[in-house]
Amino acid sequence: MMDNKPFEVPVVVELGHVGKYRHIRSAQEAAECLMTVWPLNRGPRHRDALDTCLKVLEGYRSTADARRALIEAAKESEVLVPDDRLSDDRLH
């Protein structure tokens, strides 16, 4: 079984419905999300993130590279959930 290349810290995105958060925990999960459930407002950062995630899974890039690329793609598509929106939920 292939190593799914876990991230040190998950990337949280809001997909589908307002308040429906998805915690992406690995390069494999990121690639699957980018290919299947990502919003239609995709741009060059989406393509870069998918390419980076696939290269991570092949062993050519680092998981940190994939995480950074995913964050940029999420910002581009306006689905990134900022850490400050999560902090309230994590307090208790």
Side-chain angles (χ1 to χ4, degrees), residues 30-62:
E32 290 169 0
C33 185
L34 288 161
M35 287 188 283
T36 61
V37 295
W38 205 256
L40 293 178
N41 58 332
R42 299 174 178 181
R45 294 195 196 310
H46 170 270
R47 190 171 43 255
D48 291 345
L50 180 56
D51 183 56
T52 301
C53 288
L54 294 175
K55 285 182 177 165
V56 168
L57 294 172
E58 294 170 357
Y60 297 111
R61 301 282 299 268
S62 74

Side-chain angles (χ1 to χ4, degrees), residues 11-25 29 33 36-39 74 78-82 85-86 89:
V11 175
V12 183
V13 294
E14 189 171 34
L15 299 172
H17 304 289
V18 173
K20 183 179 179 185
Y21 295 170
R22 180 166 181 167
H23 294 71
I24 301 174
R25 295 178 169 83
E29 193 176 337
C33 185
T36 61
V37 295
W38 205 256
E78 300 179 349
V79 296
L80 182 68
V81 177
R85 275 187 40 203
L86 297 173
D89 296 335

Side-chain angles (χ1 to χ4, degrees), residues 4-12 22-30 63 70:
N4 65 6
K5 308 293 185 187
F7 294 154
E8 284 190 30
V9 178
V11 175
V12 183
R22 180 166 181 167
H23 294 71
I24 301 174
R25 295 178 169 83
S26 69
Q28 179 177 336
E29 193 176 337
T63 54
L70 178 63

